[in-house]
Amino acid sequence: MEQYKQEFIEFMVDCQVLKFGDFTLKSGRKSPFFMNAGAYVTGSQLMRLGEYYAKAIHDNYGDDFDVLFGPAYKGIPISVVTAIAYSQLYGKEIRYCSDRKEEKDHGADKGSFLGSKLKDGDRVIMIEDVTTSGKSMEETVPKVKGAADVEILGLMVSLNRMEVGLGGEKSALDEIKEKYGFEARAIVSMADVIEHLYNREYKGQIIIDDTLKSAIDKYYDEYGVK
């Protein structure tokens, strides 16, 4: 596993973004782990988050794209800090764009989007915190495609939860590729998280012990990709 992925796993734990316990997800599933990108709240945390996303995007998609699109709400700051990091790390200016939950009907920037306008010919990378079932793409992709004649190259999320999507057979990321025709990747997967943290002491404690590992295994028996 690449060094930056190991660091990112520890970063999520340190920021209390990745938590373990008993959680009810938006999909209704009961999960022993939960990822909340809203817990990145300080300047240094957001700076590092952008760097991890930029490195993963660069590794997976290269530099031939124009826009980072972050769906409201959590995708907005992620797309902004990633665009900043991309400029700093790779010397390439990437525009950011996000949608609004409610259309703005006044001022010079009225409309459905924040940041850069989408233009015909733009090559777009979608960017989100996590995709559990792929449902968010059902709302976002039509908005982006409807705004201009753009090409969506891929989606980057923080964590691949490695569970079935809406169809109940393939992973959410695989379903996105099948339905929309673009790749969906993650900085790390839950397999990476388990490999790095299971029965390994980190800052004086075992994050994933045998009991938690058993709960995660049980969850994947029900919702994991077969």
Side-chain angles (χ1 to χ4, degrees):
M1 191 191 316
E2 293 92 331
Q3 182 66 31
Y4 80 86
K5 293 186 177 183
Q6 298 178 42
E7 292 175 0
F8 183 64
I9 292 167
E10 295 172 0
F11 175 61
M12 286 193 291
V13 172
D14 289 341
C15 295
Q16 298 186 43
V17 166
L18 180 60
K19 292 186 174 184
F20 300 94
D22 185 15
F23 306 96
T24 300
L25 306 179
K26 185 177 181 180
S27 62
R29 297 171 183 172
K30 304 286 187 181
S31 173
F33 57 92
F34 183 70
M35 205 216 81
N36 173 27
Y40 296 117
V41 293
T42 71
S44 62
Q45 288 173 350
L46 290 166
M47 180 180 68
R48 287 185 64 189
L49 179 65
E51 291 172 353
Y52 288 125
Y53 265 98
K55 288 176 181 177
I57 290 170
H58 186 266
D59 281 358
N60 284 275
Y61 298 112
D63 289 330
D64 191 15
F65 67 98
D66 309 292
V67 180
L68 286 169
F69 187 91
Y73 288 103
K74 290 178 182 176
I76 297 174
I78 296 174
S79 62
V80 170
V81 297
T82 304
I84 294 170
Y86 218 94
S87 174
Q88 293 176 332
L89 291 175
Y90 304 110
K92 182 176 174 65
E93 294 291 4
I94 301 295
R95 291 148 42 216
Y96 102 91
C97 181
S98 297
D99 61 335
R100 302 178 191 267
K101 290 289 188 181
E102 300 84 20
E103 185 164 340
K104 186 178 179 183
D105 61 2
H106 62 280
D109 62 338
K110 64 182 179 180
S112 302
F113 297 95
L114 295 167
S116 172
K117 292 186 180 298
L118 293 171
K119 302 182 294 188
D120 289 351
D122 276 342
R123 294 161 66 81
V124 179
I125 300 290
M126 310 285 277
I127 190 166
E128 279 202 304
D129 56 343
V130 66
T131 295
T132 301
S133 64
K135 186 173 178 59
S136 60
M137 287 294 103
E138 290 186 345
E139 303 168 357
T140 305
V141 171
K143 283 185 180 180
V144 173
K145 290 281 194 178
D149 183 15
V150 303
E151 179 184 2
I152 300 176
L153 300 181
L155 166 69
M156 180 60 68
V157 300
S158 290
L159 178 67
N160 179 1
R161 290 184 57 100
M162 299 175 59
E163 57 197 83
V164 292
L166 296 175
E169 294 182 4
K170 298 181 179 180
S171 74
L173 298 188
D174 285 342
E175 282 187 354
I176 287 169
K177 180 179 180 180
E178 184 177 84
K179 184 170 184 178
Y180 301 111
F182 56 80
E183 296 287 344
R185 306 282 176 81
I187 302 176
V188 295
S189 68
M190 271 307 295
D192 295 328
V193 171
I194 293 166
E195 175 188 334
H196 190 59
L197 295 179
Y198 177 48
N199 275 345
R200 173 179 173 268
E201 186 174 301
Y202 176 64
K203 292 189 174 179
Q205 62 177 319
I206 302 295
I207 306 295
I208 301 179
D209 58 14
D210 290 337
T211 300
L212 179 55
K213 176 64 162 53
S214 178
I216 294 172
D217 289 344
K218 183 178 179 182
Y219 182 77
Y220 280 123
D221 284 343
E222 184 170 1
Y223 297 116
V225 179
K226 302 295 188 287

